[in-house]
Amino acid sequence: MNARDSLPTLAQIIETLRASRGIAHKRDIDAVMQALPPAPAMQHQGHTLAVGDDCAAIPDGDGYLLFAIEGFLNEFVEQQPWFAGYCGVMVNVSDIYAMGGRPLAVVDALWSRGGEAARPILDGLAEGARIYGVPLVGGHSNRRNDREQLSVSIIGRATRLLTSFDARSGEHLVAAIDLRGRFQEPYAYWNASTGAPAERLRGDLEVLPALAEAGLARAAKDISMAGVIGTALMLLECSAKGAVIDLEAMPCPPGVDFQRWLSAFPSYGFLLSVADDDLPEVLARFAARGIAAASIGRIDDSCQLDLCWRGQRLPFWNLAEEALIGCGPRRED
């Protein structure tokens, strides 16, 4: 039986997604944004640079310095310390490539109890740095905490950017996901990284800056814990756009519960805004790496995200009435 055959109705899918933990965490960003002084967007070489992207992009010489950070839930660090350390590198690397860049180095901040409590986290960090070829060059340690807590920061460089603020109406919304993995139980993390050859993982990521430098895409976003739909909503909010997404076009591993898949956080997953003329080449470049990629919808000017499924079309979110992360142009207005 295909995983899509046992799905609930589209209305039930929408209700479940809107109540999901991943989207709830993204909604928390809006409260943070409202508490901070607004940082005005700037235009540089045809790109919009603003708060809310996968990385901060700072014009630097003939390109951009990219700067990002990730923090991890205490329960995840407690229950899967080695994988949390590994993810400290993996997810930061993904943010850099989502912006069309290449990573340079990472640093970590690790609080832990004494003794060997931090060892699995450090081992995971070291393995992630080795696999992705990114040096761990320093950080901060505290071994007198009551639990293990982790955050990791990264810098990188890009010559041409992919941003969350440059999606254009009429373009395809493309999802590119590595389906050669498994869920990292009990979490909705789709792990297509550990156990895969390091050279292949690095080559798969290289597709993103290559697309940017060839002018085949201008806008992209790393699929986060908000899943494909939540990530699409963040991209649309930043670009002040809307879209219609066809759930039946979504790349999905065989045999996986589709409702769970819609909320999954893949170790390799990106959304891109791609013009009609460039779509065949973009899809071909991902296919050449064994990455499942497809156009899952069209971007428009509506500022509303609609979902389609089995002949139905229903609204999922109206960004003109309700912000998600509070990083779009609407806040500045």
Side-chain angles (χ1 to χ4, degrees):
M1 177 182 292
N2 188 286
R4 292 176 171 89
D5 291 340
S6 57
L7 271 181
T9 66
L10 179 57
Q12 290 170 326
I13 292 172
I14 288 173
E15 181 181 3
T16 299
L17 285 173
R18 284 187 61 99
S20 68
R21 187 179 187 184
I23 287 182
H25 283 177
K26 299 304 179 185
R27 297 190 77 168
D28 292 343
I29 298 172
D30 184 38
V32 176
M33 291 298 298
Q34 301 305 325
L36 296 174
M42 64 175 289
Q43 296 293 322
H44 187 266
Q45 296 182 354
H47 292 291
T48 302
L49 309 182
V51 175
D53 227 324
D54 287 298
C55 301
I58 303 166
D60 180 41
D62 60 351
Y64 301 86
L65 180 67
L66 303 177
F67 185 30
I69 188 170
E70 295 280 354
F72 296 87
L73 295 173
N74 287 345
E75 65 184 73
F76 177 49
V77 177
E78 178 185 1
Q79 295 175 17
Q80 304 215 17
W82 184 93
F83 190 56
Y86 185 89
C87 286
V89 177
M90 180 184 73
V91 299
N92 270 298
V93 164
S94 185
D95 283 342
I96 294 290
Y97 279 103
M99 296 284 294
R102 297 175 178 89
L104 296 176
V106 295
V107 296
D108 71 286
L110 175 59
W111 278 256
S112 71
R113 294 163 293 169
E116 294 296 307
R119 175 61 61 180
I121 299 173
L122 293 169
D123 289 345
L125 279 166
E127 180 65 1
R130 183 189 71 83
I131 289 291
Y132 288 100
V134 185
L136 179 61
V137 297
H140 174 79
S141 299
N142 183 327
R143 300 181 65 220
R144 298 179 182 273
N145 201 34
D146 62 349
R147 72 195 72 185
E148 283 65 63
Q149 295 175 296
L150 175 68
S151 61
V152 181
S153 186
I154 192 167
I155 58 170
R157 281 193 59 82
T159 55
R160 296 281 296 274
L161 281 180
L162 301 170
T163 85
S164 299
F165 293 86
D166 291 321
R168 294 175 175 175
S169 296
E171 292 189 333
H172 294 267
L173 183 64
V174 171
I177 308 173
D178 190 348
L179 305 183
R180 299 166 291 189
R182 65 197 181 282
F183 278 116
Q184 186 81 16
E185 301 293 354
Y187 301 102
Y189 302 155
W190 184 255
N191 181 2
S193 178
T194 58
E199 184 178 354
R200 194 198 83 197
L201 292 173
R202 298 178 198 178
D204 293 346
L205 288 165
E206 181 63 25
V207 174
L208 278 301
L211 290 175
E213 290 159 9
L216 294 170
R218 292 171 42 84
K221 198 156 189 68
D222 170 41
I223 297 174
S224 71
M225 291 182 67
V228 173
I229 304 304
T231 302
L233 195 59
M234 290 190 287
L235 175 63
L236 297 172
E237 181 176 5
C238 290
S239 291
K241 298 297 180 184
V244 180
I245 290 179
D246 179 5
L247 297 181
E248 294 183 77
M250 192 83 64
C252 178
V256 167
D257 179 84
F258 191 58
Q259 180 102 344
R260 188 184 191 193
W261 180 247
L262 288 177
S263 297
F265 171 29
S267 59
Y268 184 107
F270 300 92
L271 296 178
L272 302 96
S273 179
V274 180
D276 282 340
D277 290 346
D278 298 322
L279 182 65
E281 177 65 18
V282 170
L283 297 183
R285 292 195 182 202
F286 284 113
R289 300 294 313 177
I291 302 296
S295 171
I296 62 171
R298 287 275 191 173
I299 295 169
D300 57 43
D301 285 326
S302 68
C303 290
Q304 177 168 299
L305 176 57
D306 287 0
L307 302 182
C308 297
W309 174 248
R310 294 182 170 179
Q312 279 192 300
R313 173 174 169 173
L314 292 175
F316 177 71
W317 202 292
N318 187 338
L319 288 163
E321 298 177 354
E322 182 181 11
L324 178 64
I325 58 175
C327 295
R330 186 181 65 86
R331 179 172 183 257
E332 292 181 15
D333 295 340

Tab-separated table of all heavy atoms in Angstrom, residues 234-290:
chain	number	residue	atom	x	y	z
A	234	MET	N	7.691	30.046	5.618
A	234	MET	CA	8.725	31.018	5.987
A	234	MET	C	9.319	31.692	4.757
A	234	MET	O	9.550	32.906	4.744
A	234	MET	CB	9.823	30.323	6.796
A	234	MET	CG	9.389	29.899	8.181
A	234	MET	SD	10.774	29.336	9.198
A	234	MET	CE	11.122	27.746	8.460
A	235	LEU	N	9.577	30.916	3.719
A	235	LEU	CA	10.103	31.472	2.469
A	235	LEU	C	9.126	32.480	1.872
A	235	LEU	O	9.515	33.584	1.455
A	235	LEU	CB	10.381	30.334	1.487
A	235	LEU	CG	10.817	30.722	0.068
A	235	LEU	CD1	12.147	31.458	0.082
A	235	LEU	CD2	10.907	29.478	-0.819
A	236	LEU	N	7.850	32.126	1.860
A	236	LEU	CA	6.842	33.014	1.296
A	236	LEU	C	6.680	34.284	2.133
A	236	LEU	O	6.519	35.378	1.587
A	236	LEU	CB	5.504	32.272	1.196
A	236	LEU	CG	5.480	31.067	0.262
A	236	LEU	CD1	4.175	30.306	0.407
A	236	LEU	CD2	5.723	31.474	-1.182
A	237	GLU	N	6.731	34.144	3.447
A	237	GLU	CA	6.597	35.319	4.307
A	237	GLU	C	7.738	36.305	4.065
A	237	GLU	O	7.509	37.507	3.938
A	237	GLU	CB	6.575	34.898	5.775
A	237	GLU	CG	6.415	36.065	6.733
A	237	GLU	CD	6.295	35.637	8.181
A	237	GLU	OE1	6.425	34.434	8.476
A	237	GLU	OE2	6.083	36.515	9.032
A	238	CYS	N	8.966	35.792	3.995
A	238	CYS	CA	10.104	36.676	3.770
A	238	CYS	C	10.024	37.380	2.417
A	238	CYS	O	10.420	38.536	2.284
A	238	CYS	CB	11.411	35.888	3.890
A	238	CYS	SG	11.819	35.362	5.565
A	239	SER	N	9.524	36.681	1.415
A	239	SER	CA	9.435	37.242	0.068
A	239	SER	C	8.124	37.980	-0.192
A	239	SER	O	7.930	38.511	-1.293
A	239	SER	CB	9.593	36.126	-0.976
A	239	SER	OG	10.905	35.614	-0.982
A	240	ALA	N	7.223	38.001	0.812
A	240	ALA	CA	5.915	38.647	0.654
A	240	ALA	C	5.150	38.050	-0.515
A	240	ALA	O	4.574	38.764	-1.342
A	240	ALA	CB	6.056	40.159	0.504
A	241	LYS	N	5.140	36.716	-0.586
A	241	LYS	CA	4.466	36.000	-1.656
A	241	LYS	C	3.496	34.968	-1.082
A	241	LYS	O	3.440	34.740	0.125
A	241	LYS	CB	5.493	35.276	-2.549
A	241	LYS	CG	6.474	36.206	-3.243
A	241	LYS	CD	5.787	37.156	-4.201
A	241	LYS	CE	6.764	38.088	-4.882
A	241	LYS	NZ	6.083	39.075	-5.751
A	242	GLY	N	2.748	34.362	-1.956
A	242	GLY	CA	1.897	33.234	-1.633
A	242	GLY	C	2.211	32.084	-2.569
A	242	GLY	O	3.103	32.190	-3.423
A	243	ALA	N	1.488	30.980	-2.431
A	243	ALA	CA	1.726	29.827	-3.305
A	243	ALA	C	0.581	28.845	-3.175
A	243	ALA	O	-0.192	28.872	-2.215
A	243	ALA	CB	3.042	29.140	-2.958
A	244	VAL	N	0.499	27.973	-4.157
A	244	VAL	CA	-0.377	26.812	-4.111
A	244	VAL	C	0.517	25.580	-4.205
A	244	VAL	O	1.295	25.441	-5.152
A	244	VAL	CB	-1.399	26.814	-5.268
A	244	VAL	CG1	-2.288	25.580	-5.182
A	244	VAL	CG2	-2.229	28.092	-5.247
A	245	ILE	N	0.461	24.704	-3.204
A	245	ILE	CA	1.293	23.506	-3.159
A	245	ILE	C	0.419	22.271	-3.382
A	245	ILE	O	-0.620	22.110	-2.732
A	245	ILE	CB	2.034	23.394	-1.812
A	245	ILE	CG1	3.104	24.481	-1.709
A	245	ILE	CG2	2.664	22.006	-1.641
A	245	ILE	CD1	3.868	24.465	-0.397
A	246	ASP	N	0.851	21.410	-4.274
A	246	ASP	CA	0.194	20.133	-4.554
A	246	ASP	C	0.885	19.053	-3.729
A	246	ASP	O	2.020	18.666	-4.022
A	246	ASP	CB	0.282	19.826	-6.054
A	246	ASP	CG	-0.375	18.497	-6.417
A	246	ASP	OD1	-0.977	17.853	-5.534
A	246	ASP	OD2	-0.264	18.096	-7.593
A	247	LEU	N	0.225	18.560	-2.703
A	247	LEU	CA	0.844	17.559	-1.829
A	247	LEU	C	1.179	16.266	-2.569
A	247	LEU	O	2.105	15.553	-2.196
A	247	LEU	CB	-0.078	17.263	-0.640
A	247	LEU	CG	-0.368	18.430	0.305
A	247	LEU	CD1	-1.280	17.972	1.448
A	247	LEU	CD2	0.920	19.021	0.859
A	248	GLU	N	0.434	15.970	-3.630
A	248	GLU	CA	0.693	14.738	-4.383
A	248	GLU	C	1.986	14.817	-5.193
A	248	GLU	O	2.497	13.790	-5.647
A	248	GLU	CB	-0.496	14.425	-5.290
A	248	GLU	CG	-1.751	14.090	-4.508
A	248	GLU	CD	-2.917	13.716	-5.402
A	248	GLU	OE1	-2.926	12.584	-5.917
A	248	GLU	OE2	-3.823	14.552	-5.575
A	249	ALA	N	2.517	16.023	-5.381
A	249	ALA	CA	3.785	16.185	-6.107
A	249	ALA	C	4.991	16.090	-5.186
A	249	ALA	O	6.128	16.098	-5.667
A	249	ALA	CB	3.793	17.522	-6.841
A	250	MET	N	4.765	15.985	-3.892
A	250	MET	CA	5.851	16.011	-2.910
A	250	MET	C	6.727	14.767	-3.012
A	250	MET	O	6.229	13.636	-2.978
A	250	MET	CB	5.263	16.076	-1.501
A	250	MET	CG	6.271	16.393	-0.420
A	250	MET	SD	6.521	18.158	-0.316
A	250	MET	CE	4.887	18.706	0.210
A	251	PRO	N	8.058	14.911	-3.132
A	251	PRO	CA	8.926	13.733	-3.035
A	251	PRO	C	8.741	13.069	-1.675
A	251	PRO	O	8.743	13.747	-0.637
A	251	PRO	CB	10.338	14.318	-3.181
A	251	PRO	CG	10.155	15.630	-3.881
A	251	PRO	CD	8.831	16.149	-3.398
A	252	CYS	N	8.575	11.741	-1.674
A	252	CYS	CA	8.292	11.021	-0.428
A	252	CYS	C	8.881	9.619	-0.512
A	252	CYS	O	8.711	8.941	-1.535
A	252	CYS	CB	6.787	10.950	-0.204
A	252	CYS	SG	6.282	10.038	1.275
A	253	PRO	N	9.570	9.145	0.519
A	253	PRO	CA	10.099	7.779	0.492
A	253	PRO	C	8.957	6.763	0.481
A	253	PRO	O	7.907	6.995	1.103
A	253	PRO	CB	10.904	7.669	1.802
A	253	PRO	CG	11.049	9.065	2.305
A	253	PRO	CD	9.884	9.832	1.779
A	254	PRO	N	9.122	5.645	-0.190
A	254	PRO	CA	8.070	4.621	-0.192
A	254	PRO	C	7.860	4.040	1.202
A	254	PRO	O	8.803	3.844	1.961
A	254	PRO	CB	8.607	3.555	-1.165
A	254	PRO	CG	10.082	3.767	-1.190
A	254	PRO	CD	10.298	5.234	-0.986
A	255	GLY	N	6.580	3.792	1.538
A	255	GLY	CA	6.257	3.131	2.785
A	255	GLY	C	6.258	4.003	4.014
A	255	GLY	O	5.984	3.513	5.112
A	256	VAL	N	6.535	5.294	3.866
A	256	VAL	CA	6.588	6.206	5.018
A	256	VAL	C	5.218	6.848	5.210
A	256	VAL	O	4.548	7.220	4.251
A	256	VAL	CB	7.671	7.281	4.794
A	256	VAL	CG1	7.544	8.408	5.808
A	256	VAL	CG2	9.053	6.660	4.874
A	257	ASP	N	4.788	6.962	6.464
A	257	ASP	CA	3.544	7.639	6.771
A	257	ASP	C	3.609	9.078	6.268
A	257	ASP	O	4.457	9.862	6.699
A	257	ASP	CB	3.301	7.619	8.286
A	257	ASP	CG	2.022	8.336	8.665
A	257	ASP	OD1	0.948	7.715	8.595
A	257	ASP	OD2	2.102	9.529	9.015
A	258	PHE	N	2.704	9.421	5.360
A	258	PHE	CA	2.806	10.704	4.676
A	258	PHE	C	2.544	11.872	5.611
A	258	PHE	O	3.157	12.939	5.476
A	258	PHE	CB	1.834	10.745	3.496
A	258	PHE	CG	2.041	11.917	2.579
A	258	PHE	CD1	3.270	12.129	1.961
A	258	PHE	CD2	1.032	12.817	2.330
A	258	PHE	CE1	3.480	13.218	1.105
A	258	PHE	CE2	1.218	13.899	1.470
A	258	PHE	CZ	2.453	14.095	0.877
A	259	GLN	N	1.638	11.696	6.567
A	259	GLN	CA	1.372	12.768	7.522
A	259	GLN	C	2.634	13.084	8.328
A	259	GLN	O	2.975	14.243	8.553
A	259	GLN	CB	0.239	12.355	8.469
A	259	GLN	CG	-0.121	13.402	9.499
A	259	GLN	CD	-1.389	14.156	9.138
A	259	GLN	OE1	-1.847	14.120	8.003
A	259	GLN	NE2	-1.943	14.843	10.111
A	260	ARG	N	3.345	12.039	8.741
A	260	ARG	CA	4.594	12.250	9.465
A	260	ARG	C	5.643	12.894	8.560
A	260	ARG	O	6.414	13.752	8.990
A	260	ARG	CB	5.103	10.914	10.006
A	260	ARG	CG	6.298	11.047	10.938
A	260	ARG	CD	6.821	9.685	11.358
A	260	ARG	NE	7.799	9.809	12.443
A	260	ARG	CZ	8.598	8.834	12.841
A	260	ARG	NH1	8.533	7.639	12.261
A	260	ARG	NH2	9.458	9.027	13.824
A	261	TRP	N	5.651	12.486	7.305
A	261	TRP	CA	6.627	13.003	6.353
A	261	TRP	C	6.476	14.507	6.154
A	261	TRP	O	7.459	15.233	6.001
A	261	TRP	CB	6.503	12.271	5.023
A	261	TRP	CG	7.457	12.729	3.984
A	261	TRP	CD1	7.159	13.384	2.823
A	261	TRP	CD2	8.884	12.589	3.999
A	261	TRP	NE1	8.305	13.655	2.112
A	261	TRP	CE2	9.377	13.176	2.809
A	261	TRP	CE3	9.785	12.027	4.893
A	261	TRP	CZ2	10.738	13.223	2.502
A	261	TRP	CZ3	11.138	12.062	4.592
A	261	TRP	CH2	11.601	12.656	3.409
A	262	LEU	N	5.238	15.004	6.159
A	262	LEU	CA	5.014	16.430	5.943
A	262	LEU	C	5.613	17.284	7.061
A	262	LEU	O	5.884	18.470	6.860
A	262	LEU	CB	3.512	16.713	5.817
A	262	LEU	CG	2.839	16.232	4.530
A	262	LEU	CD1	1.349	16.514	4.589
A	262	LEU	CD2	3.459	16.868	3.294
A	263	SER	N	5.815	16.689	8.233
A	263	SER	CA	6.416	17.411	9.354
A	263	SER	C	7.876	17.031	9.576
A	263	SER	O	8.477	17.467	10.556
A	263	SER	CB	5.627	17.124	10.642
A	263	SER	OG	4.297	17.592	10.535
A	264	ALA	N	8.448	16.231	8.678
A	264	ALA	CA	9.803	15.720	8.887
A	264	ALA	C	10.857	16.792	8.653
A	264	ALA	O	10.680	17.706	7.844
A	264	ALA	CB	10.062	14.533	7.962
A	265	PHE	N	11.970	16.631	9.364
A	265	PHE	CA	13.142	17.486	9.218
A	265	PHE	C	14.226	16.645	8.535
A	265	PHE	O	14.868	15.828	9.176
A	265	PHE	CB	13.579	17.964	10.606
A	265	PHE	CG	14.904	18.692	10.640
A	265	PHE	CD1	15.369	19.415	9.561
A	265	PHE	CD2	15.682	18.663	11.783
A	265	PHE	CE1	16.577	20.093	9.608
A	265	PHE	CE2	16.899	19.334	11.851
A	265	PHE	CZ	17.345	20.041	10.759
A	266	PRO	N	14.414	16.805	7.223
A	266	PRO	CA	15.391	15.963	6.519
A	266	PRO	C	16.815	16.486	6.679
A	266	PRO	O	17.049	17.702	6.737
A	266	PRO	CB	14.936	16.054	5.059
A	266	PRO	CG	14.275	17.388	4.958
A	266	PRO	CD	13.662	17.674	6.301
A	267	SER	N	17.763	15.566	6.738
A	267	SER	CA	19.165	15.981	6.837
A	267	SER	C	19.626	16.663	5.552
A	267	SER	O	20.557	17.475	5.585
A	267	SER	CB	20.062	14.775	7.140
A	267	SER	OG	19.948	13.786	6.133
A	268	TYR	N	18.995	16.345	4.417
A	268	TYR	CA	19.247	17.052	3.160
A	268	TYR	C	17.891	17.377	2.567
A	268	TYR	O	17.195	16.500	2.046
A	268	TYR	CB	20.053	16.193	2.189
A	268	TYR	CG	20.426	16.904	0.891
A	268	TYR	CD1	21.737	17.320	0.660
A	268	TYR	CD2	19.480	17.146	-0.111
A	268	TYR	CE1	22.092	17.962	-0.528
A	268	TYR	CE2	19.818	17.797	-1.287
A	268	TYR	CZ	21.133	18.191	-1.487
A	268	TYR	OH	21.485	18.843	-2.661
A	269	GLY	N	17.500	18.643	2.666
A	269	GLY	CA	16.223	19.067	2.102
A	269	GLY	C	16.217	20.566	1.874
A	269	GLY	O	16.554	21.335	2.777
A	270	PHE	N	15.831	20.979	0.663
A	270	PHE	CA	15.842	22.397	0.311
A	270	PHE	C	14.605	22.729	-0.512
A	270	PHE	O	14.111	21.895	-1.283
A	270	PHE	CB	17.088	22.759	-0.497
A	270	PHE	CG	18.376	22.504	0.232
A	270	PHE	CD1	19.035	21.291	0.106
A	270	PHE	CD2	18.919	23.467	1.076
A	270	PHE	CE1	20.210	21.033	0.792
A	270	PHE	CE2	20.094	23.227	1.765
A	270	PHE	CZ	20.738	22.008	1.619
A	271	LEU	N	14.118	23.957	-0.357
A	271	LEU	CA	13.106	24.519	-1.227
A	271	LEU	C	13.741	25.625	-2.047
A	271	LEU	O	14.526	26.423	-1.516
A	271	LEU	CB	11.938	25.082	-0.421
A	271	LEU	CG	11.127	24.081	0.397
A	271	LEU	CD1	10.036	24.805	1.178
A	271	LEU	CD2	10.513	23.008	-0.497
A	272	LEU	N	13.409	25.679	-3.331
A	272	LEU	CA	13.958	26.698	-4.218
A	272	LEU	C	12.848	27.309	-5.051
A	272	LEU	O	11.861	26.644	-5.386
A	272	LEU	CB	15.016	26.112	-5.161
A	272	LEU	CG	16.227	25.438	-4.537
A	272	LEU	CD1	16.003	23.935	-4.457
A	272	LEU	CD2	17.482	25.723	-5.340
A	273	SER	N	13.017	28.576	-5.399
A	273	SER	CA	12.140	29.257	-6.338
A	273	SER	C	12.844	29.272	-7.694
A	273	SER	O	13.943	29.817	-7.821
A	273	SER	CB	11.868	30.684	-5.852
A	273	SER	OG	11.034	31.378	-6.751
A	274	VAL	N	12.205	28.661	-8.706
A	274	VAL	CA	12.879	28.410	-9.984
A	274	VAL	C	11.973	28.835	-11.137
A	274	VAL	O	10.786	28.476	-11.186
A	274	VAL	CB	13.246	26.919	-10.126
A	274	VAL	CG1	13.949	26.660	-11.461
A	274	VAL	CG2	14.124	26.472	-8.968
A	275	ALA	N	12.538	29.550	-12.103
A	275	ALA	CA	11.785	29.996	-13.280
A	275	ALA	C	11.514	28.838	-14.232
A	275	ALA	O	12.211	27.814	-14.222
A	275	ALA	CB	12.567	31.092	-14.006
A	276	ASP	N	10.490	29.011	-15.064
A	276	ASP	CA	10.099	27.968	-16.019
A	276	ASP	C	11.283	27.494	-16.860
A	276	ASP	O	11.509	26.290	-17.017
A	276	ASP	CB	9.015	28.493	-16.962
A	276	ASP	CG	7.638	28.510	-16.329
A	276	ASP	OD1	7.433	27.792	-15.325
A	276	ASP	OD2	6.770	29.251	-16.826
A	277	ASP	N	12.021	28.436	-17.436
A	277	ASP	CA	13.100	28.078	-18.349
A	277	ASP	C	14.224	27.312	-17.654
A	277	ASP	O	14.947	26.551	-18.302
A	277	ASP	CB	13.671	29.338	-19.012
A	277	ASP	CG	12.699	29.973	-19.996
A	277	ASP	OD1	11.707	29.312	-20.369
A	277	ASP	OD2	12.926	31.134	-20.371
A	278	ASP	N	14.386	27.538	-16.357
A	278	ASP	CA	15.489	26.913	-15.633
A	278	ASP	C	15.108	25.604	-14.948
A	278	ASP	O	15.983	24.878	-14.463
A	278	ASP	CB	16.029	27.880	-14.569
A	278	ASP	CG	16.589	29.147	-15.178
A	278	ASP	OD1	17.215	29.047	-16.254
A	278	ASP	OD2	16.399	30.237	-14.597
A	279	LEU	N	13.801	25.305	-14.887
A	279	LEU	CA	13.355	24.127	-14.138
A	279	LEU	C	13.979	22.821	-14.631
A	279	LEU	O	14.469	22.032	-13.809
A	279	LEU	CB	11.826	24.043	-14.171
A	279	LEU	CG	11.226	22.865	-13.387
A	279	LEU	CD1	11.505	23.013	-11.897
A	279	LEU	CD2	9.719	22.768	-13.651
A	280	PRO	N	13.997	22.529	-15.948
A	280	PRO	CA	14.582	21.247	-16.372
A	280	PRO	C	16.034	21.069	-15.943
A	280	PRO	O	16.431	19.990	-15.493
A	280	PRO	CB	14.451	21.287	-17.898
A	280	PRO	CG	13.313	22.217	-18.163
A	280	PRO	CD	13.416	23.263	-17.099
A	281	GLU	N	16.840	22.130	-16.040
A	281	GLU	CA	18.248	22.021	-15.669
A	281	GLU	C	18.401	21.839	-14.152
A	281	GLU	O	19.239	21.046	-13.705
A	281	GLU	CB	18.998	23.268	-16.123
A	281	GLU	CG	20.472	23.303	-15.718
A	281	GLU	CD	21.311	22.208	-16.366
A	281	GLU	OE1	20.862	21.627	-17.377
A	281	GLU	OE2	22.420	21.943	-15.869
A	282	VAL	N	17.598	22.557	-13.376
A	282	VAL	CA	17.674	22.422	-11.922
A	282	VAL	C	17.321	20.998	-11.501
A	282	VAL	O	18.037	20.366	-10.707
A	282	VAL	CB	16.754	23.448	-11.238
A	282	VAL	CG1	16.631	23.148	-9.743
A	282	VAL	CG2	17.281	24.860	-11.447
A	283	LEU	N	16.227	20.467	-12.027
A	283	LEU	CA	15.824	19.101	-11.672
A	283	LEU	C	16.868	18.083	-12.124
A	283	LEU	O	17.149	17.106	-11.412
A	283	LEU	CB	14.465	18.773	-12.295
A	283	LEU	CG	13.275	19.618	-11.825
A	283	LEU	CD1	11.992	19.127	-12.484
A	283	LEU	CD2	13.135	19.599	-10.308
A	284	ALA	N	17.472	18.317	-13.285
A	284	ALA	CA	18.483	17.395	-13.802
A	284	ALA	C	19.723	17.371	-12.909
A	284	ALA	O	20.330	16.310	-12.705
A	284	ALA	CB	18.857	17.767	-15.232
A	285	ARG	N	20.117	18.529	-12.389
A	285	ARG	CA	21.314	18.569	-11.531
A	285	ARG	C	21.097	17.805	-10.232
A	285	ARG	O	22.004	17.119	-9.757
A	285	ARG	CB	21.707	20.023	-11.257
A	285	ARG	CG	22.216	20.746	-12.495
A	285	ARG	CD	22.921	22.025	-12.132
A	285	ARG	NE	23.365	22.755	-13.312
A	285	ARG	CZ	24.337	23.658	-13.324
A	285	ARG	NH1	24.971	23.949	-12.189
A	285	ARG	NH2	24.671	24.287	-14.428
A	286	PHE	N	19.899	17.919	-9.646
A	286	PHE	CA	19.624	17.126	-8.449
A	286	PHE	C	19.537	15.638	-8.787
A	286	PHE	O	20.062	14.783	-8.059
A	286	PHE	CB	18.333	17.599	-7.780
A	286	PHE	CG	18.479	18.882	-7.008
A	286	PHE	CD1	17.839	20.036	-7.423
A	286	PHE	CD2	19.247	18.919	-5.857
A	286	PHE	CE1	17.966	21.221	-6.703
A	286	PHE	CE2	19.385	20.101	-5.133
A	286	PHE	CZ	18.739	21.244	-5.558
A	287	ALA	N	18.869	15.315	-9.897
A	287	ALA	CA	18.722	13.911	-10.285
A	287	ALA	C	20.078	13.264	-10.520
A	287	ALA	O	20.279	12.081	-10.196
A	287	ALA	CB	17.856	13.803	-11.540
A	288	ALA	N	21.025	14.006	-11.062
A	288	ALA	CA	22.361	13.462	-11.317
A	288	ALA	C	23.062	13.061	-10.020
A	288	ALA	O	23.976	12.234	-10.035
A	288	ALA	CB	23.202	14.486	-12.073
A	289	ARG	N	22.641	13.616	-8.901
A	289	ARG	CA	23.210	13.285	-7.591
A	289	ARG	C	22.350	12.280	-6.832
A	289	ARG	O	22.631	11.972	-5.673
A	289	ARG	CB	23.354	14.556	-6.741
A	289	ARG	CG	24.250	15.632	-7.321
A	289	ARG	CD	25.680	15.226	-7.405
A	289	ARG	NE	26.191	14.613	-6.171
A	289	ARG	CZ	27.416	14.121	-6.033
A	289	ARG	NH1	28.257	14.160	-7.054
A	289	ARG	NH2	27.801	13.588	-4.900
A	290	GLY	N	21.281	11.789	-7.447
A	290	GLY	CA	20.401	10.855	-6.761
A	290	GLY	C	19.464	11.516	-5.769
A	290	GLY	O	18.914	10.847	-4.885
